[in-house]
Amino acid sequence: MTDVSEARNRGAESTREVIVETALRLFRERGFDATTMRAIAAEAGVSVGNAYYYFDSKEALIQAYYDRAQAEHEEACRDFLATEQAFAARLSGVLREWVRVSEPYHEFAVKFFKHAAEPTNPLSPFSKHSSPAREASIAIYRQVVEGSRDRMNAELREELPELLWLLSMGMVLFWVHDTSPGCERTYRLIDVTVPLVDRLVGLSHLPGLRGITKDFIAAVHELRA
């Protein structure tokens, strides 16, 4: 009975993956608005009812893409986060790995970005619908901070994971518009930005800058509220 159940689960997961892959291809070729669930089902070789069984909307398919991309990013970062202790190297590695694992989706992201950029759209990375993927992404930056041996202001250390995630959102925006070969300009942006962040974080614990750091954190709390 267990073998049958496991085989059924593998089949269901395979069907989910086929539907997601098909949807991403059609979104890329036809655009998000012009692609229907009926068209996705037909291209995936499943019934419309079966497609809706796994995903109740096109938006749910995008959330599945977010989850898969996040899982791939976590896997790519696992080994070097387990060994590297320098804050700058950890941050740079996480950002660079995101660009690398996201490369196959670049064309899709360019066409889809207008939907994710709308503040009220459930596909926005800031929406409540995207909360699981957002929290998982922030958790990676929490690992960056907590696994670092570098000294930094204790209060800033608490806030830094979310701030680094916001930084990564800026990188995503730049990446979406990056037409350079292999997104080399995005990699260059990472290379010039990370040392600046590293220096600011490293200075945060110094007595002369603690007041500025405290004021900055207070501003973050106010804006978040």
Side-chain angles (χ1 to χ4, degrees):
M1 197 66 162
T2 302
D3 291 342
V4 173
S5 178
E6 289 179 353
R8 187 180 294 116
N9 289 337
R10 286 195 298 270
E13 189 59 33
S14 176
T15 301
R16 280 179 57 90
E17 283 300 307
V18 169
I19 295 172
V20 171
E21 287 293 341
T22 301
L24 292 178
R25 175 172 60 82
L26 293 180
F27 292 157
R28 185 169 58 247
E29 294 174 355
R30 305 178 186 180
F32 182 77
D33 291 332
T35 301
T36 64
M37 287 294 284
R38 183 173 297 276
I40 293 169
E43 290 284 328
V46 301
S47 68
V48 176
N50 205 15
Y52 274 111
Y53 173 78
Y54 289 102
F55 302 99
D56 60 11
S57 66
K58 292 190 296 182
E59 287 75 15
L61 280 159
I62 296 298
Q63 294 297 341
Y65 155 68
Y66 286 166
D67 293 340
R68 185 174 66 177
Q70 181 60 38
E72 291 176 1
H73 188 209
E74 290 175 7
E75 179 63 29
C77 296
R78 181 171 291 114
D79 288 346
F80 77 81
L81 284 179
T83 56
E84 179 60 62
Q85 293 183 313
F87 172 75
R90 292 171 69 83
L91 176 58
S92 177
V94 166
L95 292 171
R96 292 178 71 88
E97 282 300 313
W98 184 91
V99 177
R100 186 185 66 80
V101 300
S102 300
E103 184 177 358
Y105 309 110
H106 190 253
E107 184 181 355
F108 161 71
V110 169
K111 294 183 178 180
F112 173 74
F113 179 73
K114 68 176 182 178
H115 298 282
E118 295 175 3
T120 58
N121 195 307
L123 299 177
S124 165
F126 297 92
S127 75
K128 66 177 182 180
H129 298 82
S130 299
S131 179
R134 180 172 62 252
E135 291 302 321
S137 184
I138 291 174
I140 291 183
Y141 292 101
R142 187 168 292 110
Q143 290 182 56
V144 169
V145 174
E146 292 179 352
S148 168
R149 66 167 186 266
D150 297 34
R151 291 185 65 190
M152 61 185 73
N153 179 276
E155 289 183 85
L156 180 62
R157 181 181 287 273
E158 290 295 316
E159 302 294 335
L160 202 49
E162 186 171 352
L163 295 174
L164 293 178
W165 176 77
L166 290 172
L167 171 68
S168 76
M169 289 296 96
M171 296 288 181
V172 171
L173 177 60
F174 188 90
W175 171 78
V176 166
H177 293 89
D178 187 358
T179 58
S180 62
C183 293
E184 60 185 27
R185 292 179 67 236
T186 303
Y187 284 113
R188 180 56 184 157
L189 177 63
I190 293 170
D191 289 344
V192 299
T193 301
V194 169
L196 295 176
V197 174
D198 183 46
R199 288 172 63 188
L200 289 171
V201 170
L203 292 171
S204 66
H205 72 281
L206 297 178
L209 293 177
R210 285 176 186 166
I212 296 175
T213 302
K214 191 176 185 66
D215 290 344
F216 172 72
I217 292 173
V220 169
H221 288 168
E222 180 180 344
L223 292 172
R224 182 186 291 150

